[in-house]
Amino acid sequence: MSTANQPQVTFWGTRGSIPTPGRTTEKFGGNTPCVSVMYKDTLVIIDAGSGIRNCGLELLSEAAAKGQKQLSLHLLLSHTHWDHIQGLPFFGPAYIKGNKLVIYGSPNKEGFLESILSDQMDTQYFPVEMSTFASDLSIEEMPEDAPLQLGDLSIEWQEQIYHPGGSVRFKISAGGKKIIYASDVELDIMFNSNEKTEETEKHAKEYLEFIDGADLLIADGQYSEEEYKTKAHWGHTSVPVLLEVAYRAGVGHLAFFHHDPLHTDKFLNDLWSQYSTKYHTADPPMHIFWAREGLTMPIG
Ligand SMILES: [Zn+2]
Ligand SMILES: [Zn+2]
């Protein structure tokens, strides 16, 4: 995660719902959502699933190697379902005095973000309270009328209502590139003609505009077409719908994300084989892959 002249994305956790360690998930990983974007000397972390633990360990070992005393970190939270916040109590840099950590969430949580995060560290659930964080911690709302500017990165966001309790998608612009993180949303409701209403049409248009021309779209594609039939309205998207929508918006690279806990490495490899050729050979092509824990990719 050392300084990068082009934006660099690292996947620390790609699994949805619950950590799933084990032999059948060792390729794509078992940790829950956490992604970092590094550009020049600014690092932005998105979501604090169990993957953030390894992200923190790496940050601390890099800082020690460089003799760097203070870390300035920004964490964007898409929402507060367990799989997106459960790693926060294990994020090492938060416990170190001198480090600065700013956590951003949706303003629509109406000030509850801080209590949600500290409640998960109540002694009934966890032995160490959030007040033990020795870093300079602040919890802020995403700005409503202008992009959030962090170093050379500019961040826009939108609410996603097609997920129980809602979630937020983020667009990070850096070095002329667009990286979108849009996990935990059920695109099938927005784009399925059987459910079409004025409202879903409006939201579909907003979504397409938001992801338009993304260099990298990291998106919820939790269910196969078959699985979706019994899991409609659970808040997640099916593979063929995501493919179709991303292609329509001219996405360059599409990362399937928030893998279902039941999906083994073999199952995900098979999905890739089933769909990749069609999109890789399309004109223009769209590169698709299933996000793998530990993968770092330059966006250039
Ligand atoms: Zn989730
Ligand atoms: Zn969720």
Side-chain angles (χ1 to χ4, degrees), residues 31-187:
N31 279 303
T32 55
C34 179
V35 170
S36 66
V37 181
M38 181 85 203
Y39 181 53
K40 296 194 176 166
D41 51 6
T42 304
L43 177 77
V44 172
I45 302 167
I46 310 173
D47 279 343
S50 64
I52 202 172
R53 179 177 164 273
N54 280 335
C55 173
L57 291 173
E58 175 83 15
L59 284 167
L60 292 176
S61 91
E62 266 189 20
K66 286 193 281 193
Q68 193 180 352
K69 294 226 159 38
Q70 293 177 335
L71 291 169
S72 178
L73 302 166
H74 308 280
L75 169 61
L76 312 176
L77 292 180
S78 64
H79 62 315
T80 54
H81 282 164
W82 277 337
D83 50 332
H84 299 257
I85 61 168
Q86 68 197 147
L88 190 61
F90 300 91
F91 186 52
Y95 290 89
I96 295 172
K97 199 166 165 39
N99 289 345
K100 189 169 163 27
L101 174 62
V102 188
I103 301 177
Y104 301 88
S106 165
N108 299 327
K109 290 278 175 199
E110 293 168 350
F112 290 123
L113 183 58
E114 181 155 5
S115 61
I116 294 167
L117 296 177
S118 61
D119 285 356
Q120 107 165 311
M121 295 176 77
D122 181 279
T123 47
Q124 298 300 330
Y125 306 113
F126 197 71
V128 179
E129 289 186 19
M130 198 162 89
S131 56
T132 314
F133 281 174
S135 59
D136 173 8
L137 171 71
S138 60
I139 295 176
E140 296 185 12
E141 295 180 350
M142 289 297 291
E144 303 229 43
D145 36 19
L148 173 69
Q149 207 65 44
L150 298 173
D152 290 293
L153 292 95
S154 167
I155 300 154
E156 292 161 75
W157 65 281
Q158 268 178 1
E159 287 289 344
Q160 308 192 116
I161 62 167
Y162 300 105
H163 188 68
S167 73
V168 164
R169 56 179 168 256
F170 298 104
K171 170 156 53 186
I172 300 185
S173 304
K177 302 292 173 192
K178 270 193 268 181
I179 300 154
I180 315 259
Y181 180 95
S183 190
D184 295 66
V185 64
E186 189 166 347
L187 297 181

Side-chain angles (χ1 to χ4, degrees), residues 11 16 25 40 44 47-49 81 96 123 133 157 159 165 184 188 197 203 211-212 219-220 246 256 268 280 282:
F11 295 96
T25 55
K40 296 194 176 166
V44 172
D47 279 343
H81 282 164
I96 295 172
T123 47
F133 281 174
W157 65 281
E159 287 289 344
D184 295 66
D188 300 60
T197 63
H203 289 130
I211 67 163
D212 186 55
D220 179 335
F256 280 80
L268 297 180
H280 291 178

